[in-house]
Amino acid sequence: MSINRKKVFYALAAPLGAFVLAVAVAGLALLVSGKNPFVAFKQMVIYGGTVDSLITSINEALPLFVSGVAVAIGFRTNLFNIGVEGQYRLAAIVAAVVGAELPGPGFLRIIMAMAAAIIVGAMYASIAGLLRAYRNVNEVIATIMLNGVMTGLVAVLLKWDLIASIKDQQLRTSRLPKSAWFPSVTFGGSELYLWVFVAIAIGIGYHYLINRSRFGYELRASGINPGAALAAGVNPKRMIVKTMALSGAVAGLVGMPLLLQRQHEFTQQFQQGLGFAGIAVALVGRQKAAGMAAAALLFAYLTRASQALTSPPTRGTKEIGTILQGTMMLAAVVAYEVVRRRAEANAIHEAAHRAAVQFAEVPA
Amino acid sequence: MTENADRRAAGDAGGPFVIPGPHAPQAAPYAIELRDIVKRFPGVVANDGVNVAVRPGTIHALIGENGAGKSTVMKILYGTQRPDEGRIEVNGVEQRFKSPKDAIAAGIGMVFQHFMLADNLTVLENVILGAEPGKGVKIDIRTARETLTELAAANGLEIDPDAFVSELGVGERQRVEILKVLFRGARIVILDEPTAVLVPQEVDELFVTLRELASTGVTIVFISHKLDEVLAIADDITVIRKGKTVATAIPSQVTARDLAQMMVGSELPSAATRTATVTDIATLKVEGVTMNATARGSRPLLDNVSFTVHQGEIVGIAGIEGNGQTELLKAIIGIDRIDGGSISIDGHNLVGVSTSDRREMGVGYIPEDRQREALLLPSPLWENAILGHQRSARFGKGMWIDQAAARAYTEQIISSFDVRTPSVDTISLALSGGNQQKLIVGREMLADPKVLVAAHPTRGIDVGAQAAVWDAIRDARGKGLALLLVSADLEELLGLSDTVLVMLRGRIVAKLDPAKVTKSELGEYMTGAREVAA
C-alpha cells in the first residue's frame, strides 16, 4: 500500500473538488440567467486557449503570485496581513519615482526601483508589526487602516509637482526610460514578461526560507504555538515585527511586473485589488509555493477566459469568472479543512495502532 | 444472571492472578456491568475481553498501567467510543451509548483529570453551564442556586457558589467538577486519576468526600495507578492488563505488591538515587529572587527565593501547584522577568540574557504544560525534537536546518525513551500524552544539558518508561547535571532528589533531607501546617 499515493490523493482531492463545485455553481448561475452553460464554457475554453490568452494569463499571474506569497508569510506565523494592498501601491509609486528620476544606466534603475519597493513595503508593513508587538493592536485592524492612509498618501504624492504632473488629463509620475523596462520575449505576437523569473526566484526563496531555514522554523513555530516558541528561545514580539517586515518587503514587489513591464509610470489608475486577490491565492494555494503558483495561474486564466463572455451568444455574463474564483476559494478552504481533519484522524489512528501493537504481539 | 457474572469474574477472566472476587450473589443489579467488551482498532485489539461489575453505592477502582486499556474502557462507558463486542448494562438495563449525552441520560458522569472549568465564571455559573435550568433564554438562577446548595450539603461538598473558579485551589476545583456531574443527575461518577493533581492532605479530603457520596448511594468508579490510594479507598478492585481484565480483588486480601504484579507482571521500579554525586561546584545559583504580582495588592509570585544547585545534584521542589514553582522555572529559563535578586550559571549572571542564549549555555527546560509550552502539535516529530535546540550547531550550519541530523536525533530519542510512533514524520498531535512526554524528556536529556529545569518529567507516562526516564536522570546526574526538579509525585521527588525545598506562597519555607522526611510530613510543609525546620 503506497502511503505516497494516498498523500497525493489527499493533496489533489480538495482543489479538484473545489474546481468541480465552482464549475457547477457557475453553470447554475448561467442557467438562471438564461444562457447555455455548455456554450459559455466552450467559449471560455476556446478563447482562453489561444497563445495570446495563455501568455497574458502568465503575465497577469505574476503580481497575483507575489501577493499570495506576501500574504502567506504572514499566515505562517498567524498574522493576517490585509495591508498588502496598501504596501504594494505605496511601494509602486516610490519605485516609479526612483526608477525615473535617479540617474544611472537602465539595469541599475531597475534594481534601485525594486530595492525601493522592497524597503517601502517592509517599512509600511512594519508599522502594523510594531503596533501589534508592542501596543497589542490587532494587525488586521492596523493594516486595513493603513490601506486607507495609503490611498490618501498616494493622492497627495501625485499632486506633488516634483514627482508628478498632468499629462492626458491624468496625474502621472515621469515615465521610466526605455532602458529601464524589464525585458520580455515575444511569442506569436504576444509579449511574455521575463519578470516571471523574478517571480520564480521569489517562490523558491520563500519555500526554502520557510521550510528549511532556522528563521522559517522559528517563524512557523511561533505561528503554531507561541508559548512553545517562547520557551524555545524565540522572541515572539521581534518575530512579529520581522514577519510583518518580510511580508511587506515581498508585498512591495507585487506592483513591479506592472511598473517595469507594462505601465512604466504610476498613475491613479495603477491596478488595484491585487493585495486582496493575494489572500485568495494564499488560501487556495495552501501557502505552498507551487500551490500558490497554480492558484495564481488559474485565477489569471479565469479572468482572461471570462472575457470571452463579452461577445454573443453569452454576452453580459463576464462575471462568471468572478463567480468561479469566489466559489473555488470558499470551497477550497472548506475542503482543505475537511482533508486536514481526515489526515489528522488518520495519523492519530496510526500512532495509537503503533503504541498498542506491542500488546498484540504478545500471545494472549 | 448474577451467577453467570460471578463465574466469569472469578473463572473466565484469564490470567494467573485471579483472586476470588467480592461478588456474592445479590438481589440488586450491578450499577455497571461490562461483559466481554472487545474494542478493536485496525490491526490491534485495545480491549480484548473486559469484564467489570460495579456494585451500586460502592467505590470501585479500575487499575492498570498506561496503555493497558483503562482509557478505552472509560471512553466506552462514557459513550465516546462504541465497543465492537460485548454488553454494557447500567442498573440491569442494557445500554448502547451513541454519545456522552446517552451516558449522561443513563446517570453516568465523568470527572476528567484535567479540569474543564471556566476560570472567569463563578462556581454556580460553572456548574450550570450547558445545563442551565429555566425557560427560553432566561436562566432560573434561584432554582439553580438552591439545587446546588442542597447537593453540596447532602454530599459534604461545601463550597461557596459565588466564588470565582480562578480563586479556588485544585482540591476545590475538583469538588466543583464533581458537583457539575451530580447537578446533571449522575448517580454513577467516574473519576479519571483524580489524585494526580492533589497533595496528600487534599487526597484525604477527597476520600472523605467519596465515602460520603457512596454512603448516599452514589456509585463511584475510580481510575488510578496509585496502588496505596486504591487500597485505601476502594471497596472492589478490577485490574486491567494488555486489554484484558486479569483479576478482581478486595483491598483487605491484597497488598500493593500483589496489585503491582497483577498490573505489570513484575515489580515496580524505584525512584531512589543510589550514590551521592553532589560536588561543591555551584552550577545554578538563585539569590534573593523576587517576582512581583501581576495584580495589584496580591502577594508576590516569588519572594526572596535563594538556593544553589551544584554540579551532579538534584534539587527537588515540593509544593502545591500555584505556589511559585512555575514562575521559578520560567524565571530560570528566561521566559518571565524577575524584579529582584539574581540568577547565575557558573558564575555568569543571567540578567538580560535571552532564553535562546540561556539555551545555548546549556540550560534545558521541561515545562509543566506540554501542550502549551513544549509541542508543535501539527508538526512532525522531528520538528518537535529540535524545538528549543533549533539554533544548536548540531542541527545545521548557518541559516539552514539540517533535516537529516534532526531526523537522526529523533530516531535516537525514539529508541532511547521508547516513544511509540509510526515514524519521525508523524505529527506530535497523534501521539498519546505519555509518548509526547517521553519525546520532550528525551529531547532535553539527549541534548546533554548542563542545567535542567524540569516540571513533572514523568507525568502521564507508564511504569516502564518512567524507570527509563529515572535512569537517564541518574546517569546525567552522575555526569554532572545540575537538575532542578518540580514534581507532584512525591515518591519521585523524594526518591530522586539530593535536597528537597518546599515552596509555599512564593517563598521557600523549608529545606529538607529526602532521606529523613516522610510523605505526610512533606505534605504538612506544603500546606503550611508545619513550619520551618531549615
Side-chain angles (χ1 to χ4, degrees):
Chain A
M1 230 297 287
S2 102
I3 287 179
N4 274 336
R5 205 183 294 171
K6 212 172 181 179
K7 262 191 180 161
V8 170
F9 172 76
Y10 275 132
L12 289 181
L16 283 181
F19 184 78
V20 172
L21 183 71
V23 170
V25 170
L28 206 66
L30 282 163
L31 272 180
V32 168
S33 56
K35 313 280 184 194
N36 183 339
F38 294 101
V39 174
F41 289 141
K42 194 174 159 197
Q43 267 182 297
M44 284 177 71
V45 171
I46 290 172
Y47 178 67
T50 62
V51 174
D52 184 40
S53 289
L54 291 176
I55 287 181
T56 307
S57 298
I58 295 173
N59 292 342
E60 296 294 324
L62 301 180
L64 285 177
F65 172 70
V66 178
S67 176
V69 171
V71 174
I73 290 170
F75 276 168
R76 293 312 288 267
T77 189
N78 258 348
L79 289 170
F80 198 169
N81 182 5
I82 291 194
V84 172
E85 186 72 19
Q87 290 143 25
Y88 90 80
R89 284 179 63 82
L90 194 63
I93 187 171
V94 175
V97 173
V98 167
E101 308 289 352
L102 289 188
F107 76 93
L108 197 64
R109 286 169 183 254
I110 290 176
I111 292 172
M112 299 282 280
M114 298 218 315
I118 289 173
I119 293 167
V120 170
M123 281 173 50
Y124 203 54
S126 295
I127 299 173
L130 289 166
L131 285 171
R132 168 69 198 271
Y134 298 102
R135 285 290 174 270
N136 207 18
V137 177
N138 189 303
E139 81 282 359
V140 174
I141 308 291
T143 49
I144 289 177
M145 290 189 165
L146 285 168
N147 284 345
V149 173
M150 174 277 300
T151 310
L153 259 177
V154 167
V156 169
L157 284 174
L158 277 176
K159 292 222 162 135
W160 190 13
D161 51 15
L162 267 181
I163 62 170
S165 53
I166 295 186
K167 253 175 266 158
D168 301 332
Q169 285 120 45
Q170 268 230 47
L171 283 164
R172 304 164 190 273
T173 60
S174 316
R175 228 168 148 70
L176 270 67
K178 263 221 163 109
S179 60
W181 294 12
F182 211 89
S184 55
V185 288
T186 307
F187 287 107
S190 308
E191 254 186 277
L192 174 69
Y193 299 165
L194 286 182
W195 207 84
V196 70
F197 290 107
V198 180
I200 291 171
I202 291 172
I204 293 173
Y206 165 80
H207 173 79
Y208 278 94
L209 187 73
I210 294 294
N211 297 314
R212 296 293 169 84
S213 76
R214 294 177 203 253
F215 172 74
Y217 177 86
E218 293 190 347
L219 184 151
R220 283 183 291 127
S222 25
I224 293 167
N225 188 344
L230 182 64
V234 181
N235 182 327
K237 294 189 171 170
R238 259 185 248 158
M239 188 49 82
I240 288 172
V241 178
K242 281 188 207 168
T243 308
M244 278 308 276
L246 184 63
S247 174
V250 175
L253 291 173
V254 169
M256 290 305 99
L258 303 173
L259 177 72
L260 299 172
Q261 302 235 256
R262 190 197 296 163
Q263 312 290 135
H264 311 298
E265 64 185 2
F266 190 94
T267 70
Q268 201 63 269
Q269 258 61 57
F270 198 84
Q271 191 173 349
Q272 298 189 12
L274 290 167
F276 301 119
I279 296 169
V281 170
L283 287 173
V284 174
R286 296 175 72 188
Q287 298 119 60
K288 302 244 161 56
M292 290 189 290
L297 284 168
L298 185 64
F299 278 21
Y301 173 83
L302 288 174
T303 305
R304 172 71 182 187
S306 57
Q307 300 290 330
L309 304 181
T310 51
S311 52
T314 52
R315 190 203 301 272
T317 54
K318 183 164 80 73
E319 282 65 32
I320 287 304
T322 314
I323 293 179
L324 279 167
Q325 290 171 350
T327 317
M328 213 176 301
M329 183 181 91
L330 283 176
V333 169
V334 173
Y336 289 146
E337 182 60 18
V338 171
V339 168
R340 189 186 65 76
R341 287 188 192 177
R342 255 319 234 313
E344 213 171 85
N346 259 345
I348 291 173
H349 204 94
E350 258 178 53
H353 179 170
R354 175 65 192 79
V357 102
Q358 294 210 333
F359 296 132
E361 280 162 359
V362 178
Chain B
M1 181 204 84
T2 47
E3 276 175 20
N4 278 344
D6 284 344
R7 193 176 48 74
R8 246 192 329 274
D12 290 347
F17 298 109
V18 176
I19 289 170
H23 308 286
Q26 54 174 38
Y30 289 119
I32 294 176
E33 190 177 12
L34 298 180
R35 280 199 252 160
D36 299 324
I37 295 290
V38 175
K39 175 71 189 175
R40 293 185 200 90
F41 297 106
V44 73
V45 186
N47 279 350
D48 186 13
V50 168
N51 291 283
V52 182
V54 182
R55 295 181 290 138
T58 62
I59 301 176
H60 193 110
L62 201 58
I63 66 172
E65 271 200 279
N66 281 302
K70 276 180 307 187
S71 55
T72 309
V73 175
M74 205 169 65
K75 283 176 190 161
I76 287 171
L77 255 182
Y78 196 55
T80 53
Q81 284 195 340
R82 272 185 264 182
D84 297 317
E85 286 174 30
R87 258 171 91 89
I88 306 171
E89 283 183 14
V90 176
N91 300 320
V93 182
E94 175 161 15
Q95 298 281 355
R96 289 175 193 277
F97 298 143
K98 291 198 185 69
S99 72
K101 242 188 207 165
D102 297 340
I104 292 167
I108 296 178
M110 173 91 108
V111 175
F112 292 94
Q113 187 178 345
H114 297 287
F115 303 145
M116 303 189 173
L117 298 172
D119 274 358
N120 52 348
L121 297 184
T122 65
V123 169
L124 179 63
E125 287 165 340
N126 264 288
V127 167
I128 65 173
L129 190 65
E132 298 88 348
K135 281 184 196 144
V137 292
K138 189 160 167 32
I139 297 173
D140 188 348
I141 270 291
R142 187 136 42 122
T143 313
R145 182 188 300 275
E146 278 166 18
T147 318
L148 176 64
T149 318
E150 276 168 32
L151 266 178
N155 295 298
L157 289 158
E158 297 301 333
I159 198 147
D160 173 11
D162 298 315
F164 281 95
V165 165
S166 54
E167 298 160 0
L168 301 184
V170 179
E172 289 170 306
R173 286 175 196 226
Q174 195 167 48
R175 250 174 270 164
V176 178
E177 285 281 6
I178 296 173
L179 279 169
K180 237 167 86 178
V181 302
L182 295 177
F183 188 83
R184 284 159 178 72
R187 298 295 290 162
I188 300 169
V189 179
I190 307 171
L191 295 132
D192 180 18
E193 305 262 359
T195 61
V197 290
L198 303 179
V199 291
Q201 281 72 9
E202 286 174 320
V203 171
D204 293 342
E205 279 173 36
L206 172 69
F207 284 180
V208 171
T209 306
L210 294 185
R211 288 243 165 272
E212 256 176 80
L213 278 175
S215 71
T216 62
V218 174
T219 306
I220 291 171
V221 179
F222 182 93
I223 293 164
S224 183
H225 61 245
K226 292 193 179 168
L227 304 176
D228 294 342
E229 292 173 1
V230 166
L231 288 173
I233 185 74
D235 296 310
D236 302 326
I237 302 169
T238 299
V239 185
I240 298 184
R241 172 155 52 98
K242 293 176 184 173
K244 289 186 194 323
T245 35
V246 292
T248 57
I250 46 176
S252 60
Q253 293 178 7
V254 289
T255 64
R257 185 161 291 271
D258 295 335
L259 287 178
Q261 261 189 309
M262 293 178 206
M263 261 169 68
V264 301
S266 64
E267 283 180 38
L268 286 179
S270 129
T273 331
R274 274 132 213 153
T275 48
T277 58
V278 185
T279 63
D280 53 8
I281 304 163
T283 304
L284 171 67
K285 206 159 190 175
V286 173
E287 285 171 301
V289 164
T290 301
M291 192 186 287
N292 295 337
T294 36
R296 228 191 324 173
S298 39
R299 63 168 174 83
L301 297 168
L302 292 176
D303 189 357
N304 195 22
V305 171
S306 300
F307 61 88
T308 304
V309 187
H310 297 90
Q311 200 177 328
E313 185 183 24
I314 299 176
V315 172
I317 301 225
I320 300 166
E321 277 183 42
N323 275 283
Q325 302 95 314
T326 314
E327 288 77 12
L328 177 62
L329 297 194
K330 286 188 172 182
I332 294 171
I333 190 68
I335 295 173
D336 286 355
R337 219 181 271 183
I338 54 175
D339 298 302
S342 74
I343 300 171
S344 60
I345 285 175
D346 288 341
H348 300 291
N349 196 325
L350 295 184
V351 168
V353 177
S354 69
T355 300
S356 70
D357 289 341
R358 292 179 199 210
R359 288 264 191 190
E360 255 165 67
M361 289 170 74
V363 185
Y365 177 47
I366 298 174
E368 182 179 298
D369 186 335
R370 64 179 163 236
Q371 305 256 330
R372 219 177 283 169
E373 283 196 285
L375 291 171
L376 306 175
L377 290 175
S379 300
L381 292 193
W382 70 265
E383 288 198 346
N384 279 278
I386 61 172
L387 187 66
H389 310 284
Q390 72 273 9
R391 295 192 192 171
S392 143
R394 194 170 182 164
F395 301 121
K397 285 187 194 121
M399 67 178 288
W400 306 108
I401 283 178
D402 180 350
Q403 287 198 12
R407 283 162 190 278
Y409 185 67
T410 315
E411 295 283 4
Q412 205 187 334
I413 298 172
I414 290 173
S415 63
S416 309
F417 287 87
D418 186 28
V419 180
R420 310 241 173 108
T421 173
S423 84
V424 297
D425 291 308
T426 304
I427 55 174
S428 62
L429 173 77
L431 264 52
S432 69
N435 282 308
Q436 290 175 345
Q437 183 70 18
K438 286 186 264 181
L439 180 83
I440 296 163
V441 172
R443 84 170 173 219
E444 298 303 332
M445 295 296 298
L446 289 182
D448 291 327
K450 181 187 291 176
V451 176
L452 180 60
V453 287
H456 317 291
T458 63
R459 183 179 268 180
I461 71 184
D462 57 36
V463 180
Q466 192 175 35
V469 170
W470 287 339
D471 282 343
I473 288 177
R474 277 185 216 111
D475 276 0
R477 166 177 172 271
K479 288 179 199 148
L481 171 73
L483 171 62
L484 184 66
L485 173 71
V486 169
S487 179
D489 180 344
L490 298 186
E491 220 160 303
E492 171 177 87
L493 199 70
L494 291 174
L496 284 177
S497 304
D498 297 299
T499 310
V500 171
L501 305 173
V502 181
M503 278 193 91
L504 181 63
R505 296 187 204 101
R507 296 189 307 133
I508 300 226
V509 295
K511 181 177 179 183
L512 306 166
D513 180 349
K516 292 181 188 147
V517 69
T518 66
K519 271 206 268 181
S520 75
E521 279 167 11
L522 193 53
E524 285 171 21
Y525 284 112
M526 286 160 68
T527 51
R530 193 191 266 241
E531 300 271 321
V532 192

